[in-house]
Amino acid sequence: MKKLFIFKFMATTLVAIVMLYPFWSATGNEAGSNGVLESLGAMGFSATSTIIAAFILSVALYCRSLQKCLSLVQPSCQAMNPKMVWLMFVPFYNIVEDFFIILNVTRSIEQEAQINQHLEVVNSFGRVSGFGWCIAQVAALFPSFLGEAAGFIALIFWVVHWRLITKVNALLMIDSLDAKIT
C-alpha cells in the first residue's frame, strides 16, 4: 500500500509538471506551443467558459454513472468504495487515479458477471475503452497537434466507456428490481 501511495504521488507530480509547463516555459509565448490552452484562448471567454462548464457537468454525470454501477454491484464484488469515483475531480491526481478507477470498476463488473445472469449479454467489461481514454488523456497533456488529437480520441473512448457503463447499469437495475419483487 505504501508503494502504491508513493507511485501515485510521483505520477501526480509528473502530471502536474507536464500540465503546468506551458505556464512557465520560456517558449510558452510561441504560437502553437500551448496546445489546448491556446486553442481555448482563441475561442474567447464565453465559448471557453461554456466548454469548461459542459465538460465539468459531463464528468459529474459520468462519475454518477460509475458510482451507480459500483453501488448496484453486490458488495462482495465491489473492488472499491463507490464514492471513490469522485476522485476524478482532484486536479492532477485525477489523471493518475482514473486508471485505478477504471481498473476497479472493470474488476467489479467482472466479479458481478460471475454471479449475475443478466450480465451474460455483456461482451466487454470496459477495460479497452476505459484504459483507452485514460491513455489518450495522458497523451493529450502534451502541447501539440498530437496532444489535441489524443484529446479527441480520449473523448471518443470516454463516450464509448460511458455508454457501456450505462448499459451495465440498466442490466444491474433489472437484477435489483427482481430482488425487490421476490
Side-chain angles (χ1 to χ4, degrees), residues 155-174:
L155 187 62
I156 292 169
F157 275 119
W158 183 49
V159 169
V160 168
H161 189 261
W162 194 354
R163 288 185 65 204
L164 173 74
I165 295 301
T166 301
K167 177 182 176 181
V168 168
N169 286 351
L171 294 169
L172 291 171
M173 287 296 293
I174 292 170

Side-chain angles (χ1 to χ4, degrees), residues 20-148:
L20 295 173
Y21 179 76
F23 293 105
W24 77 72
S25 168
T27 61
N29 296 327
E30 297 173 13
S33 65
N34 290 331
V36 74
L37 294 175
E38 189 171 316
S39 297
L40 287 173
M43 287 193 270
F45 180 77
S46 295
T48 300
S49 298
T50 302
I51 289 170
I52 291 171
F55 178 73
I56 290 171
L57 176 63
S58 297
V59 172
L61 293 172
Y62 177 67
C63 285
R64 197 172 88 183
S65 294
L66 292 175
Q67 182 179 7
K68 182 177 182 178
C69 182
L70 288 169
S71 297
L72 290 169
V73 164
Q74 300 292 325
S76 62
C77 298
Q78 292 175 355
M80 67 184 284
N81 182 319
K83 293 178 183 175
M84 297 297 285
V85 301
W86 293 95
L87 289 172
M88 286 188 177
F89 275 99
V90 179
F92 309 123
Y93 179 70
N94 67 318
I95 303 293
V96 175
E97 188 62 25
D98 288 347
F99 285 93
F100 293 94
I101 292 169
I102 294 302
L103 176 65
N104 287 319
V105 169
T106 301
R107 284 180 177 166
S108 298
I109 297 169
E110 288 171 343
Q111 288 296 316
E112 180 74 15
Q114 299 291 322
I115 58 172
N116 187 330
Q117 65 185 5
H118 295 294
L119 294 179
E120 289 176 356
V121 296
V122 178
N123 297 330
S124 165
F125 298 109
R127 194 175 303 271
V128 172
S129 58
F131 284 127
W133 77 256
C134 288
I135 292 166
Q137 172 183 248
V138 171
L141 295 177
F142 295 96
S144 69
F145 171 75
L146 292 176
E148 290 186 34

